[in-house]
Amino acid sequence: QSSVRRGLVFHRYSWLPTPMAIGNEGRDLLGYLFLLIPLEFLMTSQRIVKDGNRHKAVMLSGGLLALVGSIKIGFELIHKEPSYYDMMEILPNAPLAEIKRGYKRASLRVHPDKLTAAGGEDEEAGDEAFLALKAAYDVLHDTHLRDLYNKFGPPGIENKSDTSALLAGLGFFYVVWLAVAYLLTRRKSVARAQTWSFTGLLALGIFEYQACILSFDFLEDALPQLAMFEKIELLHRLYPIYLLGARMAAWLIYEDVDTYNAIVLQRLHAKTDMLLLMIRDNYLAVTNNKGRQPDSTKLPLPGNQTSPWGVSQDSLDQAFRPLHPAMTGQSPPAQGTKGRGPVAQKGGRGISSLVW
């Protein structure tokens, strides 16, 4: 009875723009973009990302994303607009005989005479509930209208003569999230997620094409209680979570190969200079017939530098850790006193930088 009563909201105001059965696309876009700020803070904070270890940061940000996403989608599923099948308490794949039995059971609960006799509802509300149930039965009883309802929901019944506008409206979701996915995966450290996000969007489009054009529902066994158009909207609600999760996975496995190769090449240049100096010393020793041993450790360079590239011989023997964008925008680590290595820096990226 409560499902029928909630279904009256659409039936009574059918001339208004139809609300989404599950959630809202505009609210999703704004909500997840704001959620991106704390996620980026957790992923790039120096207090969390220590010594290049990003696993803890991904675990924290991934847990936050999973928590917010599960609460949001669970709330939307509980408070979703009841479908015509919910009004009759039947499954969307129910045969015509089951629809008739469900309609009879529901009509006995919301019949105006019974409600008036019970004193639980006023006469006007009882009449509207019964008319809404009758309208739902008329749609599900007709094979063509039921097919349109399964594909597009209530808007399909309103535009049953021409569904091209509905198909065009479905493409708006893909245009918006294609642009968002491109903008969120432009950074070099998450560029790999661009392929994953586009692939997920393509898979979602294939499912929607099979559902709305070919009338094929391969999620019928997984979600038997939801109509086909409700499953499409549920997948729309899940895509932002998939996009942000793909960014985290790409950031976790990212290695800055270009920076690594540049520094390795720099070390190679420095060692090549040392080799040339050794060859020059040997040549001078042979040509001058001097029995002195070549000193390859002394580099005759101006100032206190020990290499034309500004790299000391000790630093050439140190292990190199690839740089990561989490360190971007920070000054080079200061050298500690008495050769104890770099001094650790405190703090992380500012909130204004994250928002920008």
Side-chain angles (χ1 to χ4, degrees), residues 49-199:
V49 183
K50 296 181 179 179
D51 299 329
N53 186 4
R54 289 160 266 166
H55 292 82
K56 180 180 179 181
V58 171
M59 289 178 60
L60 291 175
S61 56
L64 176 61
L65 177 62
L67 178 63
V68 173
S70 59
I71 293 177
K72 176 183 176 297
I73 293 179
F75 179 83
E76 292 173 346
L77 284 174
I78 294 175
H79 297 85
K80 75 179 184 69
E81 291 290 332
S83 65
Y84 292 167
Y85 300 101
D86 295 332
M87 292 181 181
M88 303 179 192
E89 297 181 354
I90 58 176
L91 294 178
N93 59 353
L96 184 59
E98 183 65 25
I99 293 176
K100 291 181 179 179
R101 287 194 293 268
Y103 170 69
K104 289 181 180 179
R105 291 193 301 266
S107 62
L108 291 177
R109 291 194 300 268
V110 299
H111 197 277
D113 295 340
K114 184 174 182 179
L115 294 177
T116 303
E121 294 282 348
D122 57 1
E123 184 177 355
E124 182 180 358
D127 292 340
E128 291 181 350
F130 186 76
L131 290 176
L133 180 63
K134 182 65 170 62
Y137 174 75
D138 292 339
V139 170
L140 300 184
H141 189 266
D142 187 284
T143 305
H144 177 64
L145 294 180
R146 182 181 180 182
D147 183 65
L148 289 176
Y149 178 77
N150 288 336
K151 294 178 180 178
F152 305 104
I157 306 303
E158 295 181 355
N159 302 274
K160 57 184 177 181
S161 59
D162 184 16
T163 59
S164 59
L166 297 176
L167 292 175
L170 294 176
F172 180 74
F173 168 85
Y174 295 94
V175 172
V176 171
W177 282 104
L178 182 66
V180 172
Y182 172 75
L183 294 175
L184 292 183
T185 55
R186 288 186 62 192
R187 198 171 62 188
K188 185 179 178 180
S189 59
V190 294
R192 190 175 298 182
Q194 190 171 96
T195 303
W196 302 341
S197 60
F198 289 173
T199 303

Side-chain angles (χ1 to χ4, degrees), residues 16-64:
L16 291 174
T18 307
M20 295 289 179
I22 301 176
N24 182 272
E25 293 182 0
R27 186 167 59 243
D28 280 0
L29 180 61
L30 294 177
Y32 285 110
L33 287 181
F34 278 110
L35 181 62
L36 186 63
I37 297 176
L39 293 180
E40 284 289 307
F41 177 77
L42 292 175
M43 291 168 58
T44 59
S45 175
Q46 283 284 312
R47 296 181 178 88
I48 300 176
V49 183
K50 296 181 179 179
D51 299 329
N53 186 4
R54 289 160 266 166
H55 292 82
K56 180 180 179 181
V58 171
M59 289 178 60
L60 291 175
S61 56
L64 176 61

Side-chain angles (χ1 to χ4, degrees), residues 6-15 84 87 128 131-132 135-136:
R6 283 191 294 165
L8 281 172
V9 175
F10 171 77
H11 181 75
R12 186 184 303 177
Y13 304 105
S14 59
W15 54 275
Y84 292 167
M87 292 181 181
E128 291 181 350
L131 290 176

